[in-house]
Amino acid sequence: MATPRSLGFRMPAEWEPQSATWLSWPSNTALWPGHYDLIPAKFAEFAAAISRFQPVKINAAGQLRAEAERELKAAKADLSVIELTDIATDDVWCRDHGPIFVKNDRTKELALTDWEFHGWGGKFEASLDNQVPGKIAAKLGVKKFSYPFELEGGGIEVSGDGLLLTTEAVQNNPNRAEGRDDAAFHAAIRDGLAIDELLWIGEGLANDDTDGHIDNLARFIAPRTILAVSESDKSSPNYAPMQENLKRLREMRPRGQRLDILELPLPKPIRLAGRDLPPSHANFLIVNDGVLVPLYGQDSDSVAMGIIGDCFPGRKIVGIDCRLLLIEGGALHCLSQQQPV
């Protein structure tokens, strides 16, 4: 069977040119306890920020459309580059339920890969979410390559030239991996996304509903450079796991080469809805000519803005307060999925 790789497709790095960003409009009041009335405006603020850089496509089914149009207008979004799509979802986390796009550099053809999504190992209802990639493929009229394995966009980071970084905490978790043919899973990643080497770190952040997505931990910012979170508070439950992750990153030698590892401070946990939730500045979103950075009202905000700004010279760095979004466990990267040019 022809695979994306055999046909010349690969998954581009996030800093490569994009034609649009996909989002899914908030729709599930039960998932934002006591705060849902504040969420549409915050979501519109994020969509508006993206719209100042590039087109935005938003899954907003049926009755959500009027609310989305009203909130986007109030947020002063560039409505000329925003398209609302009649695709229903269970939740907002488009990074994980959306398609993972691939492109053919020679023919310029766009295609997408469609993996199973079951609410981060069955934690949340995801039957509508799991249909999203197929519906987007039909809307765009592009090839779809389907795989019978759970793989979430927030669980992988790619260099664009054959390296993929991920965590054992997610990919080897029994809630996703029980009964799985691991060799077939790894082969699917290699063939589906044109990956030469899988690079593994261990644990995620404490109380992360995803079990430890890489986009809260370590991000490629160049083909051989990774920006990774570090915890300086030795009393934190994140101290030892993050130290171990940094150690493993520094010891990696993909293609015999050392990686450049830069550190990004981890904000203090935020207590919301009875839990200590894990904020991370690593959940930034790269767009054309810009980077949108999650902020949490802490001293680490300005430090993170400076570090990320240094990593992306020539791009405008925009901070967005993400404390409200953290109620449901994520931030800007989790909410979005890029469509390459």
Side-chain angles (χ1 to χ4, degrees), residues 63-95:
Q63 74 279 11
L64 296 175
R65 187 182 185 93
E67 175 188 78
E69 289 174 342
R70 182 177 68 249
E71 295 290 354
L72 290 165
K73 188 174 181 182
K76 296 183 168 50
D78 182 350
L79 301 178
S80 71
V81 300
I82 293 181
E83 178 185 357
L84 300 179
T85 300
D86 189 18
I87 295 177
T89 68
D90 295 292
D91 206 353
V92 291
W93 307 115
C94 197
R95 178 66 49 180

Side-chain angles (χ1 to χ4, degrees), residues 19-37:
S19 61
T21 301
W22 283 86
L23 306 174
S24 295
W25 194 262
S27 60
N28 192 331
T29 57
L31 294 174
W32 306 89
H35 296 85
Y36 182 79
D37 57 330

